[in-house]
Amino acid sequence: MINGVDIFAYGLLTLVFGYLLYIIYYTLDLFFLNPFKRITPLTKEEEKTILYYLPFYKDLSKKKKKLFRKRVVRFRKRKKILFHEDVKQQEKITLLLSATAVMLTLSMADFLILSVEKIRVYPKEYYSLYTKKKHYGEYNPSLKMLVFSAENLLQGFKIPNDNINLAVHEFSHAISFNIANKLNFRSYIFMFGMRKINRLFKNPDFIARVNASNYFREYGKTNIHEFFAVSVECFVETPQEFKIQFPELFSIISRMLK
């Protein structure tokens, strides 16, 4: 005769078994080994779009390009991107957002950025109920949501070397939050880098160099998190100039993003 303890034990075993199956399914999916899901590859036109707006792609090895393409389609499929009805070029925006996320996490295992579940896109500057202010973009960690203005998002890709890219900026925030909440070696390296950047950010001599150079935009001086995001924008758009002007900071971010 089955008693209450037996029922509880069976239920607990079922729960544990189900969780293990989920972990296995997720791991297979993460590394493109899931036999139950077919990956629809990027089209040639989509690859051309990525090459045009993200020139770094052409310098990747054949192996890295293949990995990049697979991750882009996986990211695009897994994220819920919500567009306001007035937003145009939705497919292009979806592709560029996915490609940007993958570009920044190409050497990381967690390219899906689990701290982001939804992405909302408005046509222009919008009013945020979260901050009670108008924004071009923001990351809301409590809702695991990125929000963008389509106009400013696309503008960031039109000028490839002005060190202003809204997608790169907001994804940098999300990646930083995502890695900070993990307990692994990659997280340790990333957070160690953030501590080093924080020391530079508080160093009067370093800030004097920053002010004299006019290389980083003013918004980066808001706090350490904004300085990191602005630095990543520079790292992506003008890496050679960055390396020449601020070699120490460039080296730190290189290690953080591997």
Side-chain angles (χ1 to χ4, degrees):
M1 182 176 179
I2 299 177
N3 56 35
V5 175
D6 292 330
I7 293 174
F8 175 78
Y10 290 142
L12 184 60
L13 285 172
T14 302
L15 183 64
V16 171
F17 183 68
Y19 179 73
L20 287 174
L21 284 177
Y22 169 76
I23 293 298
I24 293 171
Y25 181 87
Y26 175 79
T27 303
L28 289 172
D29 195 34
L30 188 64
F31 292 99
F32 315 111
L33 300 172
N34 193 332
F36 305 106
K37 283 191 176 182
R38 180 180 177 275
I39 300 174
T40 303
L42 291 174
T43 66
K44 291 297 182 182
E45 284 304 312
E46 287 175 330
E47 193 171 357
K48 286 180 182 178
T49 298
I50 290 172
L51 184 59
Y52 181 81
Y53 289 105
L54 297 175
F56 97 105
Y57 178 72
K58 72 176 183 296
D59 296 324
L60 294 177
S61 66
K62 187 175 181 180
K63 183 178 179 180
K64 283 284 187 180
K65 283 180 179 178
K66 183 178 180 180
L67 175 64
F68 181 89
R69 292 193 299 270
K70 284 186 174 182
R71 286 189 168 192
V72 169
V73 296
R74 183 68 69 189
F75 187 94
R76 179 170 61 182
K77 187 173 184 179
R78 291 289 288 271
K79 299 303 177 184
K80 183 180 291 186
I81 303 181
L82 309 169
F83 289 97
H84 187 279
E85 60 183 7
D86 293 335
V87 175
K88 298 178 175 60
Q89 304 184 76
Q90 294 185 11
E91 290 185 0
K92 179 180 179 181
I93 290 173
T94 298
L95 177 64
L96 290 176
L97 285 173
S98 302
T100 300
V102 171
M103 172 182 68
L104 295 175
T105 60
L106 191 57
S107 295
M108 302 178 189
D110 184 10
F111 69 94
L112 290 174
I113 313 177
L114 299 183
S115 60
V116 176
E117 292 181 352
K118 296 179 182 178
I119 301 174
R120 187 176 295 276
V121 184
Y122 292 99
K124 297 184 178 181
E125 183 183 33
Y126 61 91
Y127 179 78
S128 170
L129 295 175
Y130 180 67
T131 64
K132 310 299 181 183
K133 297 178 181 178
K134 287 187 175 181
H135 287 272
Y136 298 133
E138 63 181 315
Y139 171 58
N140 186 326
S142 61
L143 295 178
K144 293 187 175 182
M145 179 182 290
L146 282 168
V147 189
F148 295 100
S149 150
E151 181 178 65
N152 298 89
L153 178 72
L154 292 171
Q155 184 63 30
F157 289 101
K158 287 179 181 177
I159 306 175
N161 58 356
D162 64 350
N163 293 334
I164 300 176
N165 187 303
L166 185 61
V168 170
H169 187 96
E170 299 304 336
F171 269 119
S172 296
H173 286 314
I175 291 168
S176 179
F177 186 85
N178 189 54
I179 295 179
N181 286 279
K182 293 182 180 296
L183 297 174
N184 54 40
F185 185 65
R186 168 52 44 196
S187 176
Y188 172 79
I189 292 175
F190 191 93
M191 297 314 298
F192 182 70
M194 283 296 288
R195 287 194 291 272
K196 293 182 76 171
I197 292 175
N198 194 39
R199 285 197 291 271
L200 286 175
F201 190 71
K202 292 180 178 179
N203 185 316
D205 292 335
F206 178 78
I207 293 302
R209 285 174 53 212
V210 168
N211 292 335
S213 71
N214 290 318
Y215 180 65
F216 302 101
R217 57 192 173 99
E218 283 294 315
Y219 190 62
K221 300 173 187 177
T222 305
N223 55 52
I224 180 60
H225 302 292
E226 297 302 343
F227 183 67
F228 169 70
V230 167
S231 296
V232 175
E233 289 178 88
C234 297
F235 183 84
V236 169
E237 296 217 336
T238 56
Q240 295 304 319
E241 184 179 355
F242 193 168
K243 188 174 183 178
I244 292 170
Q245 291 207 44
F246 298 94
E248 183 180 2
L249 180 58
F250 181 87
S251 178
I252 293 170
I253 293 179
S254 294
R255 289 193 295 271
M256 290 171 73
L257 298 179
K258 202 178 177 183

